Amino acid sequence: MKHVFYIGLCLIILGCQKQLDVPEIRLLHDNWQFKSSDNTDWLTAKIPGNVFSDLLDNAEIPDPFIGTNEDSVQWVSKTDWEYQTTFQVDSKTLQKRHVELNFGGLDTYASVYLNDSLILKTANAFREFSIDVKPLLKTENTLRILFENTTKHEEAAKAQLNYTLPEGNRIFTRKGQFQYGWDWGPKLNTSGIWRPIKLVTWNTLKIQDAYIKQTVLNDSLAKLNARFNLNTSIANLDYDLFINDSLIQSGYMSDKDIPQFNFTIKNPKRWWPHNLGNPYLYDIKVVIKKDNTVLDSVSVKKGLRTIKLITEKDSLGESFYFEVNGKPVYAKGANYIPQNSMQNKVTDAHYNNLLNDAVEANMNMLRVWGGGIYENSIFYDLCDAKGILIWQDFMFACAMYPGDAEFLENVKQEAIDNVKRLRNHASIALWCGNNENSEGWHRWGWQDGRSETEKTEIWNHYLKVFDSILPKTVATYSDTNYWETSPKFGRGNPQFEFQGDAHDWWVWHDGYPFEHFEDQVPRFMSEFGFQSFPSYNLINYINKNDSDSLRITSEGIKNHQKHKRGFQVIDEYMARDYLVPNNPEDYVYISQLLQAYGITKGIEAQRRAKPYNMGTLYWQLNDCWPAISWSSIDFFGNWKALHYKAKRSFENVLISSEVKQDSLKIYLINDTFNTFSGTLSTNILNFSGEVIWENSQEIMVKPNSSAIKQRIGLSGFSFNKNKVVIVSKFQKSESLFYLVKPKDLELPAKAIQKEVIKTSDGFTIRLSSKTLQKDVFLFCNESGHFSDNYFDLLPNEEKQIVFKTDAKVLNDLKIKSLNDR
């Protein structure tokens, strides 16, 4: 049996200490079995895990991500499941004064038995539980956990109410709400041991929690306060403080109230979002001792920064922006959802790759959406290190929730657990109470047919959670700002455009044209989006059981489109802006261009409106299963057209144009704190590269600004607008702008020349054309990543693309563009 022990600090740091009496941690992840409660046959299980992945590993169910298999596994969520393991404990461990079992996450209604004694009952997948098991532990031990299906508990809770709450049974259970099905995800209501189980033993002291609170930060000095929640019966403790492995301070830790001490860092380096500076992290380590014996230690990666949400009344309404280290920061990014419906399949590499994709696309903020999960610690560690700001929702979404005493206490403890767990992270910029609950109550008809008494009670329950419990918890346990609900106003409220954050779903849900994004720009856009098909290889995976693997009308594909009007909406919008193809391969390609066309139109309109608008987060970054969805990166990690084009639209210095009243306005947007000077050149070219009109002028671009730098009256030109491109350049920035919709462009049908060169980590691909090529798309059967894709290739210019792959040859490289129609 594998034993894993935790000592705390490296031997170099502790080498000077005479004795060690530190806690030991052993992961109890081996020898697990599971079965349904009405069965006698045990199957092997993996911990952490969940019942769906365990059944899949044992070939008891088909892969629910393929075809229509999701439908055939719904019985799993209606069944009670039992997990069991046996483990041995040596005499040394049995002699420890303190022995705890720590459960990082049990999903959800669980009864835990150690040696046939009930030690814990849980009803919250988001909470962590520690149980003293010293009296029960033996040399040979059996740990058994019974998971009851959620329905029986939800029906019992629903029966206690005299009215029905929106939106279904999920509101009564504290777990990932998306598991009950969403308009981009499957209905896979899991159960199981989804986070680690640990056996923790110690004699004298264990650090339960450590909070490194920043109290003062300026250019010359940072003052910090270290607070500890200790499990110990002794007093008069000593400590050693290490910063970046250097001993900085030794002292005495008071035993009054919460043990704590103060310390300073001179000439501190600040933590910044990656696009504005270095996300510098101090490694702060504290060793707690009694006399000369080390009792426990803790290490915290600490970024020194100030982050404030600024909401101030002005002549237009009320601002909404984040101020980092005293400077307004324009937020650029997307909404993040769980990466897999079976969370145990998300590895550290998945986290690292996806967050690298966000950084590479020039994103500096992700919103962790409220219908998912409080993410694993590695997610926040990586966001700290990579300089990504996190808007963190509490896990409530698109519903009204109960307000009985038991539910409210459960929510309170959930909030305390997670705020305390995440409060040391520099990346946490905001805690938000919920996603769209308030908008739903005021706009989605949830009040219809209810008595005034019912409406008052339901809204009061809402206020207890989101206007009392959650903000008080955030204020008590952290120094992060709290925002009650996202959006502040629903899109039916006239204040939608002028106050708070906004979710704009007039595009997509209400059929408004993409130009709507340019006409109505809010103070901060925290949600807007449009669907597209995923990559060809993902469609082939969904259709694995289908004879035509790229058939986009198969029953499997239909099952992976969870919006009831999704295909119809894509069709309608495509006909507005593109020529609609009649074959699946081209249709998938155009659907991705359509998504990118609409969303980048919104991104750039919002950025042009800076500082009125100070943030744009599109829906959504990623998927939890193979899907036709709003994501810019599909379930296999392939970048769609949107991710490539968002990368360009999120550049720190952006040239962005719009046409108003037959006048072309060219903006320079600068998100940095630097001033730039240089030549802005603008050429109007035909598709063969001939210059129809040209202009250049010296300009200065102010820090953190957006301003019109050039106006061009179009009424005096006689050229065919369907046959020209406007090319603007400033320093390293370049913009290609068209005066008509993509379907109206008269693109020449000319071939693209290519040269493929093998490199040590893939291939270099050189492309050129004698005419403009619109939305060039490179693809092949080999797995890998193109450095750029879905780009416009100017006539008579060479473009070089890097394709990183393990493939040795690249015989099947294909190239598609809009010119091919």
Side-chain angles (χ1 to χ4, degrees), residues 586-634:
D586 287 345
Y587 192 93
V588 170
Y589 162 66
I590 297 296
S591 82
Q592 291 199 20
L593 293 181
L594 177 69
Q595 178 192 36
Y597 177 72
I599 299 310
T600 56
K601 189 181 289 289
I603 290 172
E604 296 198 16
Q606 291 147 31
R607 291 191 66 191
R608 289 195 299 267
K610 177 180 179 176
Y612 175 82
N613 172 280
M614 283 298 289
T616 175
L617 309 176
Y618 64 77
W619 185 270
Q620 66 207 62
L621 177 67
N622 59 303
D623 280 319
C624 68
W625 81 320
I628 298 89
S629 82
W630 293 266
S631 69
S632 64
I633 301 176
D634 73 22

Side-chain angles (χ1 to χ4, degrees), residues 187-236:
K187 184 178 180 181
L188 294 174
N189 189 357
T190 65
S191 62
I193 305 165
W194 76 293
R195 280 185 168 153
I197 296 179
K198 304 171 186 176
L199 183 69
V200 187
T201 60
W202 75 99
N203 282 321
T204 309
L205 176 145
K206 181 168 74 76
I207 299 174
Q208 304 279 65
D209 177 67
Y211 180 28
I212 309 298
K213 181 178 175 64
Q214 173 189 295
T215 57
V216 173
L217 178 63
N218 55 50
D219 290 343
S220 59
L221 190 70
K223 294 184 179 180
L224 299 106
N225 173 257
R227 301 183 182 187
F228 299 88
N229 181 9
L230 306 178
N231 191 324
T232 183
S233 57
I234 65 171
N236 303 321

Side-chain angles (χ1 to χ4, degrees), residues 794-811:
L794 286 171
N796 307 311
E797 292 189 9
E798 182 180 275
K799 187 172 180 70
Q800 187 166 289
I801 305 297
V802 173
F803 181 51
K804 288 189 176 180
T805 179
D806 293 331
K808 303 303 180 185
V809 294
L810 195 60
N811 294 327

Side-chain angles (χ1 to χ4, degrees), residues 640-681:
K640 297 184 186 179
L642 172 56
H643 208 77
Y644 282 103
K645 290 181 180 275
K647 175 182 178 179
R648 298 167 208 148
S649 294
F650 281 149
E651 288 177 351
N652 260 356
V653 178
L654 175 71
I655 303 171
S656 182
S657 301
E658 67 172 350
V659 175
K660 294 287 186 182
Q661 297 175 341
D662 216 21
S663 175
L664 176 68
K665 300 176 182 179
I666 301 175
Y667 289 73
L668 260 294
I669 299 139
N670 178 13
D671 286 344
T672 76
F673 305 135
N674 302 316
T675 298
F676 297 101
S677 297
T679 302
L680 171 63
S681 65

Side-chain angles (χ1 to χ4, degrees), residues 276-309:
L276 299 175
N278 179 20
Y280 189 85
L281 296 171
Y282 285 91
D283 188 7
I284 299 174
K285 301 174 182 176
V286 179
V287 181
I288 299 178
K289 305 174 295 178
K290 177 65 174 177
D291 299 326
N292 207 28
T293 299
V294 174
L295 303 178
D296 202 356
S297 57
V298 67
S299 180
V300 173
K301 295 284 189 182
K302 184 69 176 180
L304 303 180
R305 87 294 184 266
T306 59
I307 300 179
K308 296 179 181 178
L309 174 64

Side-chain angles (χ1 to χ4, degrees), residues 420-561:
K420 289 175 70 173
R421 177 170 71 93
L422 301 180
R423 62 185 171 181
N424 283 315
H425 288 282
S427 54
I428 300 292
L430 183 72
W431 280 97
C432 179
N434 66 78
N435 174 79
E436 298 182 347
N437 295 12
S438 179
E439 178 182 7
W441 180 249
H442 290 103
R443 188 179 179 273
W444 297 352
W446 290 350
Q447 299 185 51
D448 294 350
R450 299 185 185 275
S451 69
E452 291 303 316
T453 301
E454 287 179 3
K455 287 190 281 188
T456 299
E457 180 174 311
I458 294 169
W459 186 246
N460 283 342
H461 289 166
Y462 171 96
L463 293 175
K464 285 179 182 178
V465 175
F466 304 111
D467 198 41
S468 181
I469 291 173
L470 297 184
K472 287 178 181 177
T473 300
V474 173
T476 300
Y477 295 100
S478 80
D479 57 2
T480 304
N481 286 140
Y482 173 83
W483 186 246
E484 178 194 304
T485 183
S486 179
K488 181 174 183 177
F489 297 108
R491 62 186 187 274
N493 189 306
Q495 293 304 309
F496 162 92
E497 198 175 340
F498 307 108
Q499 293 187 39
D501 71 310
H503 294 189
D504 191 333
W505 289 107
W506 273 302
V507 172
W508 182 267
H509 286 302
D510 293 334
Y512 282 33
F514 289 136
E515 287 73 21
H516 160 76
F517 288 139
E518 298 174 315
D519 298 332
Q520 281 193 288
V521 176
R523 307 307 293 261
F524 190 106
M525 185 75 87
S526 50
E527 264 195 38
F528 68 116
F530 196 88
Q531 278 194 358
S532 74
F533 280 80
S535 58
Y536 297 142
N537 61 339
L538 194 57
I539 293 172
N540 292 338
Y541 176 79
I542 295 171
N543 283 337
K544 196 172 183 178
N545 299 329
D546 195 287
S547 58
D548 182 358
S549 60
L550 200 60
R551 189 159 67 96
I552 59 176
T553 57
S554 70
E555 291 305 308
I557 291 296
K558 290 177 183 177
N559 186 58
H560 288 249
Q561 165 61 276

Side-chain angles (χ1 to χ4, degrees), residues 129-198:
F129 299 91
S130 291
I131 307 298
D132 177 15
V133 294
K134 170 74 174 176
L136 296 174
L137 208 63
K138 303 183 295 187
T139 302
E140 299 280 344
N141 299 276
T142 299
L143 182 60
R144 184 168 61 91
I145 306 177
L146 174 64
F147 293 95
E148 297 179 278
N149 73 80
T150 62
T151 302
K152 64 179 69 174
H153 292 271
E154 292 158 355
E155 290 295 335
K158 185 163 61 174
Q160 299 300 312
L161 296 175
N162 297 322
Y163 46 79
T164 301
L165 287 171
E167 290 268 312
N169 279 8
R170 66 178 173 85
I171 62 172
F172 298 103
T173 298
R174 296 307 302 142
K175 64 179 299 178
Q177 303 286 271
F178 77 108
Q179 295 176 357
Y180 292 77
W182 223 266
D183 57 4
W184 39 257
K187 184 178 180 181
L188 294 174
N189 189 357
T190 65
S191 62
I193 305 165
W194 76 293
R195 280 185 168 153
I197 296 179
K198 304 171 186 176

